[in-house]
Amino acid sequence: MSGKKRASPGADEEKNPLDGVELGDDDAQKLKDIQKQMERVDLLIERHSQQKLLTVYEQRRQVTKAIPKFWPVALVNHPLISFQTQHNIDRIALSYLEDLWVARDPKEPRCFTLEFYFKSNPYFTDTVLKKEYKYVPPPSAATEEPDADGLTPSMLDFSWERDVQPSAIKINWKDPENALTKLHPRVEDEEEDSVPAEAGSFFNFFEISQDPYDLGTTIANDVFATATDYFLGNVPNEEYSDTDSEEEDDEDEDEEEIDLEKPRPKKQRKA
């Protein structure tokens, strides 16, 4: 006998009581207004939080400067950045990173400038590499008056894709012929996909304005905010797996190996 269950008689004819629910125009507008109020409150909470966290971030900054390779480890322990630094030579260059800071736009804190501070290294002469995500307000913002909380209609209608312009800088490579971005360029997809066919060197992030992988927001809103967890390896690293990640270019295999894995926590003593 087959193990297949037979449907109850008349099951197909039974009407789903959740189908055909109608929403009147008045109720739809009320829900829309409530949603706008919620978004407004979320924005105020975010701004207040950023102001309060600034002092804490500054305190953390002083502590992390004394911890060797804190920021390289924290960055590479994020799955997306780990995926973007598959070339070992990128990780070697990142191992010279001493400090990382997020300077937020005082008028629009959702926009920011990433500041990477490097000690002297064999790759470039720059001591700071920056990438700005500049706020470009719409024309209507010029005549808007802020409300009691300092918010304007354009702030409430903020769109990252429309209102933000990423920047690019030229890295001063010590050996231009062996610049990491030249050895491992970003390769665009021939089918004009929004994501490149090859990411290339991590340092393309600075020299190319477009940020198709959302590295900037990942670093500013995720890694920077919870850097200690990433440094200690308390965040799962599973999202961006790559079956080919074990294969590296011949020139990378000859480079010095740099251990940017999570630090081993000390064993806890039993009571």
Side-chain angles (χ1 to χ4, degrees):
M1 293 181 62
S2 171
K4 184 177 181 181
K5 293 183 179 180
R6 302 178 64 182
S8 301
D12 293 340
E13 289 77 19
E14 293 179 1
K15 184 177 180 180
N16 187 337
L18 301 181
D19 283 345
V21 176
E22 296 183 358
L23 182 65
D25 292 342
D26 186 49
D27 288 334
Q29 184 59 48
K30 289 179 180 178
L31 288 176
K32 185 177 180 180
D33 292 342
I34 291 295
Q35 184 63 31
K36 286 185 177 180
Q37 292 180 41
M38 293 174 64
E39 292 173 355
R40 185 177 186 280
V41 172
D42 285 342
L43 179 56
L44 288 173
I45 292 173
E46 180 183 353
R47 291 189 167 211
H48 181 73
S49 174
Q50 290 294 343
Q51 291 175 355
K52 292 297 183 181
L53 282 169
L54 182 59
T55 301
V56 181
Y57 289 150
E58 289 173 341
Q59 293 173 353
R60 184 187 66 184
R61 190 178 198 181
Q62 299 307 314
V63 174
T64 58
K65 284 182 177 180
I67 301 175
K69 297 184 175 63
F70 177 89
W71 283 109
V73 172
L75 286 168
V76 172
N77 275 345
H78 188 284
L80 174 59
I81 302 172
S82 177
F83 182 78
Q84 295 290 318
T85 55
Q86 294 185 46
H87 298 290
N88 191 53
I89 196 170
D90 274 342
R91 298 194 176 200
I92 296 173
L94 271 178
S95 71
Y96 292 91
L97 179 66
E98 292 184 304
D99 186 26
L100 189 154
W101 189 251
V102 177
R104 293 194 175 269
D105 187 327
K107 293 184 178 180
E108 180 45 78
R110 286 169 289 191
C111 297
F112 51 83
T113 298
L114 295 176
E115 302 174 354
F116 285 63
Y117 293 82
F118 289 85
K119 60 184 176 182
S120 179
N121 64 82
Y123 302 100
F124 43 81
T125 60
D126 307 88
T127 57
V128 185
L129 297 181
K130 295 183 180 183
K131 188 172 185 72
E132 180 182 12
Y133 291 81
K134 184 179 180 180
Y135 176 51
V136 183
S140 60
T143 58
E144 292 176 344
E145 290 293 334
D147 61 18
D149 293 312
L151 300 181
T152 63
S154 61
M155 292 177 183
L156 296 171
D157 190 41
F158 177 83
S159 167
W160 182 267
E161 290 75 17
R162 182 193 65 207
D163 302 333
V164 179
Q165 181 178 330
S167 69
I169 63 170
K170 179 61 179 175
I171 298 176
N172 296 302
W173 300 100
K174 290 184 176 180
D175 182 1
E177 291 302 313
N178 290 306
L180 303 189
T181 51
K182 184 173 182 178
L183 294 175
H184 305 291
R186 181 183 293 178
V187 180
E188 301 299 333
D189 196 309
E190 294 181 357
E191 298 180 359
E192 298 184 355
D193 194 346
S194 58
V195 178
E198 294 289 342
S201 170
F202 171 80
F203 290 88
N204 287 308
F205 169 66
F206 296 101
E207 293 200 320
I208 301 175
S209 60
Q210 292 80 7
D211 183 10
Y213 300 99
D214 295 328
L215 278 172
T217 53
T218 297
I219 294 171
N221 300 333
D222 190 0
V223 179
F224 185 79
T226 55
T228 300
D229 282 335
Y230 279 106
F231 176 72
L232 296 175
N234 293 335
V235 182
N237 188 349
E238 300 175 354
E239 184 177 355
Y240 295 89
S241 60
D242 184 5
T243 56
D244 297 329
S245 62
E246 295 180 359
E247 298 180 4
E248 297 181 344
D249 294 340
D250 293 339
E251 61 268 29
D252 290 340
E253 293 176 354
D254 295 333
E255 294 287 348
E256 173 190 359
E257 291 293 332
I258 296 295
D259 184 12
L260 294 183
E261 300 302 324
K262 71 177 183 181
R264 296 181 180 178
K266 295 181 179 179
K267 293 183 179 180
Q268 300 294 324
R269 293 183 178 179
K270 295 182 180 181

